Amino acid sequence: AQKITQTQPGMFVQEKEAVTLDCTYDTSDPSYGLFWYKQPSSGEMIFLIYQGSYDQQNATEGRYSLNFQKARKSANLVISASQLGDSAMYFCAMNTGFQKLVFGTGTRLLVSP
Amino acid sequence: ETGVTQTPRHLVMGMTNKKSLKCEQHLGHNAMYWYKQSAKKPLELMFVYNFKEQTENNSVPSRFSPECPNSSHLFLHLHTLQPEDSALYLCASSTPGDNEQFFGPGTRLTVL
């Protein structure tokens, strides 16, 4: 069965520092996609970054990068130069079939001044 | 309005009530989704619609009844709910085949 594991319920980081949010996944499908979403207190899930299982390079989007280690089945999110507005829940997700997203339990990130 | 909107944002209902959640997307997408987010549990996919046709029902109890009258609107009709159905219900949309799903702000449902 497909599964996403996020072992960090909460993380703290100081403004302007970098932070890594962990995500491991389990699937037997050779083709899959990995996603990170941000959920502020307002509730909507905001797409951050995507990595395909066949992508050779790690995905980057501005201050977000995905550290993809296929052999270890990990897809950690790195946020560089944290900002106060980065405080939110962060969810790792995987799609293993057409349109089916499986989510982890999330990590709450708090950025302090 | 832009993106994906959901109404109401908050709903409190008794177990014998009938209510509906509404989702509208202004992105020109043809796929729409309902997700349930319970406290301390991962987001769960409930239903998927492609071009107004239901293509996925993730073993959802019949007290949840979705309706997709067109590609821009999605409803979730609720009746005889249980307290454990209290959750944040999120709607999303996408272009079929695209990786990214765009989410609405959700409806926070409380069943008394």
Side-chain angles (χ1 to χ4, degrees):
Chain A
Q2 291 79 18
K3 188 178 179 182
I4 292 282
T5 301
Q6 293 180 256
T7 57
Q8 304 157 315
M11 288 287 285
F12 294 89
V13 67
Q14 270 201 308
E15 203 175 4
K16 299 179 186 175
E17 292 187 349
V19 62
T20 298
L21 306 184
D22 294 342
C23 172
T24 58
Y25 60 91
D26 189 21
T27 181
S28 55
D29 291 329
S31 177
Y32 50 90
L34 295 156
F35 303 76
W36 277 93
Y37 282 86
K38 172 184 178 182
Q39 187 179 40
S41 56
S42 51
E44 77 274 25
M45 302 283 277
I46 302 168
F47 168 78
L48 295 179
I49 197 166
Y50 167 80
Q51 178 88 39
S53 58
Y54 294 117
D55 293 342
Q56 296 295 317
Q57 305 264 354
N58 283 346
T60 59
E61 290 285 349
R63 295 186 299 110
Y64 304 108
S65 61
L66 199 152
N67 185 0
F68 182 44
Q69 297 188 43
K70 196 169 184 177
R72 297 180 61 186
K73 294 191 173 180
S74 75
N76 298 340
L77 177 71
V78 180
I79 305 175
S80 62
S82 297
Q83 301 172 356
L84 295 178
D86 294 334
S87 294
M89 285 290 292
Y90 288 81
F91 291 91
C92 182
M94 173 171 60
N95 74 335
T96 59
F98 183 57
Q99 296 177 308
K100 291 189 182 184
L101 275 178
V102 173
F103 284 80
T105 50
T107 296
R108 182 171 298 282
L109 177 66
L110 286 176
V111 181
S112 60
Chain B
E1 294 277 15
T2 58
V4 182
T5 57
Q6 291 187 243
T7 54
R9 293 294 311 275
H10 300 272
L11 178 63
V12 179
M13 59 186 289
M15 290 192 285
T16 58
N17 292 157
K18 289 185 180 181
K19 296 286 183 183
S20 295
L21 310 184
K22 179 183 176 182
C23 174
E24 185 173 1
Q25 59 93 4
H26 309 268
L27 301 168
H29 293 157
N30 288 301
M32 296 190 77
Y33 312 76
W34 279 116
Y35 286 87
K36 176 183 179 182
Q37 186 177 25
S38 304
K40 299 182 181 179
K41 290 177 70 175
L43 226 68
E44 302 170 67
L45 178 66
M46 299 174 72
F47 300 103
V48 181
Y49 278 80
N50 283 284
F51 298 95
K52 303 187 297 177
E53 298 297 320
Q54 188 182 116
T55 53
E56 182 77 24
N57 177 339
N58 196 21
S59 303
V60 180
S62 60
R63 58 186 183 269
F64 295 91
S65 175
E67 179 190 1
C68 189
N70 54 62
S71 292
S72 298
H73 293 86
L74 184 65
F75 295 90
L76 189 62
H77 303 300
L78 316 171
H79 64 97
T80 327
L81 293 193
Q82 305 298 312
E84 60 264 29
D85 297 322
S86 298
L88 180 68
Y89 289 85
L90 289 161
C91 173
S93 70
S94 74
T95 299
D98 265 10
N99 292 309
E100 184 178 350
Q101 295 181 16
F102 293 79
F103 285 79
T107 295
R108 174 74 60 189
L109 174 67
T110 303
V111 181
L112 301 176

